Amino acid sequence: MSTVVNINGRIFHKNNAFVSVFDRGFLFGDSVFEVVRTYGKDKIFAFDMHLERLYKSAAFISLKLAGRKYIEKLIRDTIRKGNNRESYVRLVITRGIGREIGMNPDYAIKPNYFVIVKNFDPPPADINKRCIKAAIASVRRNFKDSLNPLIKSGNYLNNVLAHIDAMKKGGVEAVMINPQGYVAEGTTFNVFMVKKGVYYTPPLEAGILDGITRKVILKLMKENGIRYAEKSIKPAELMSADEVFFTSTLREIQPVVSINNRKIGNGKAGLFTARLYEIFARNISRFLS
Ligand SMILES: Cc1ncc(COP(=O)(O)O)c(C=O)c1O
């Protein structure tokens, strides 16, 4: 089991992986990133979808990336070197070191590519053992017109502030509300609820990341004839839902048992959440490469 870091094609032990203080990723959060995980030693979940989102994020910030082959090789080489049973993989691409310290992106010499690979302990197979508590953060999700949450950029201060706020409120995870007062997403996950047997999740227009797990789940629901809708959700609706769960690459599907210390449903993983997780688990192998 080891943590290794690839920097522009050279792999380092975690203690020897350094970045310049003049890198614009460090100075301004001027970077994009993706987090993927492996199932087993080297099979990556929804890799194509993650790469597609990476290129979209880069286009949003006018960052021109190397070709897919180069990026894929960086990731696969690093996973191999890490040699973990299952891996957490974080790809970060910064605009690079600037000739000058300043906003002008033309100061950047060339992008820097980083891949961090470490051992990943998957969430328990038993959905009942995944339950968590949440709180609604007072910190609002960024305005789409300021820093669009569709961009998976290295600037996560909005999310860090929401997490700090939720911790103060006694919740472990923060749900963020958009500037219009509707549920957006969590700090590192998308939000779903179940009401009267129907699954609901906020639409992309709510100002959220186009989560890959969310996307896979919507596809599976469609394929299986499950009733769902993407719709704007008020915080009060979320808190009075029959079931709430979070989704992300690392969490897969995670039941939420309380929000702001108010019980959701019967305070346990709900049946609809469990049923969806079964479908998800059964289909994972289709998305591995
Ligand atoms: C803000 C935010 N929303 C949602 C997600 C879930 O996305 P995915 O399912 O692609 O992991 C993440 C993942 O890191 C995230 O950072």
Side-chain angles (χ1 to χ4, degrees), residues 53 152 156 159 185 187-190 209 211-213 248-249:
R53 186 172 66 188
K152 203 160 166 68
Y156 256 47
N159 313 44
E185 60 182 335
T187 51
T188 55
F189 45 85
N190 291 109
L209 183 73
I212 303 299
T213 319
S248 82
T249 297

Side-chain angles (χ1 to χ4, degrees), residues 97-256:
I97 293 170
R99 269 181 279 271
E100 301 278 346
I101 298 178
M103 292 299 105
N104 188 347
D106 294 340
Y107 290 151
I109 296 163
K110 60 174 170 26
N112 276 327
Y113 292 75
F114 306 91
V115 183
I116 303 169
V117 166
K118 59 187 183 104
N119 181 59
F120 180 64
D121 284 325
D126 180 356
I127 190 101
N128 299 297
K129 299 206 171 116
R130 296 183 178 194
C131 299
I132 52 155
K133 297 178 174 180
I136 292 184
S138 310
V139 175
R140 292 282 170 113
R141 192 68 177 114
N142 285 325
F143 261 103
K144 280 192 284 181
D145 295 342
S146 307
L147 180 56
N148 195 328
L150 275 179
I151 309 169
K152 203 160 166 68
S153 84
N155 191 322
Y156 256 47
L157 200 49
N158 182 214
N159 313 44
V160 172
L161 294 179
H163 189 83
I164 291 171
D165 186 57
M167 278 166 55
K168 281 188 197 147
K169 292 188 163 125
V172 280
E173 297 289 358
V175 171
M176 300 170 85
I177 305 303
N178 71 15
Q180 293 73 37
Y182 292 95
V183 174
E185 60 182 335
T187 51
T188 55
F189 45 85
N190 291 109
V191 177
F192 282 73
M193 69 172 190
V194 182
K195 222 162 198 170
K196 295 199 172 89
V198 183
Y199 296 81
Y200 296 100
T201 194
L204 294 185
E205 296 72 51
I208 60 173
L209 183 73
D210 188 2
I212 303 299
T213 319
R214 173 187 182 279
K215 219 174 179 142
V216 166
I217 284 172
L218 294 181
K219 180 179 165 67
L220 292 175
M221 292 203 290
K222 204 171 199 170
E223 283 177 11
N224 287 274
I226 292 170
R227 283 205 295 157
Y228 74 92
E230 292 174 75
K231 77 162 193 119
S232 301
I233 299 171
K234 283 275 186 195
E237 268 185 276
L238 187 74
M239 291 183 61
S240 62
D242 301 331
E243 301 180 23
V244 173
F245 59 91
F246 296 154
T247 67
S248 82
T249 297
L250 303 179
R251 296 161 195 267
E252 299 178 324
I253 292 174
Q254 183 173 43
V256 177

Side-chain angles (χ1 to χ4, degrees), residues 3 5 7 10-19:
T3 301
V5 183
I7 305 180
R10 283 186 65 198
I11 300 179
F12 299 86
H13 182 268
K14 65 173 179 187
N15 295 344
N16 300 322
F18 299 108
V19 52

Side-chain angles (χ1 to χ4, degrees), residues 22-76:
F22 295 103
D23 190 292
R24 294 174 62 97
F26 171 72
L27 290 174
F28 310 127
D30 190 359
S31 63
V32 292
F33 79 104
E34 279 294 324
V35 172
V36 296
R37 66 159 283 194
T38 67
Y39 285 81
K41 261 195 176 332
D42 55 7
K43 294 273 183 273
I44 300 172
F45 180 73
F47 197 22
D48 286 346
M49 291 162 89
H50 278 279
L51 288 178
E52 200 181 304
R53 186 172 66 188
L54 174 77
Y55 281 95
K56 275 192 191 151
S57 297
F60 262 117
I61 69 162
S62 307
L63 175 63
K64 188 154 170 22
L65 297 187
R68 222 194 115 122
K69 271 215 173 111
Y70 175 75
I71 292 178
E72 184 160 353
K73 181 168 160 38
L74 283 182
I75 291 176
R76 299 249 185 230

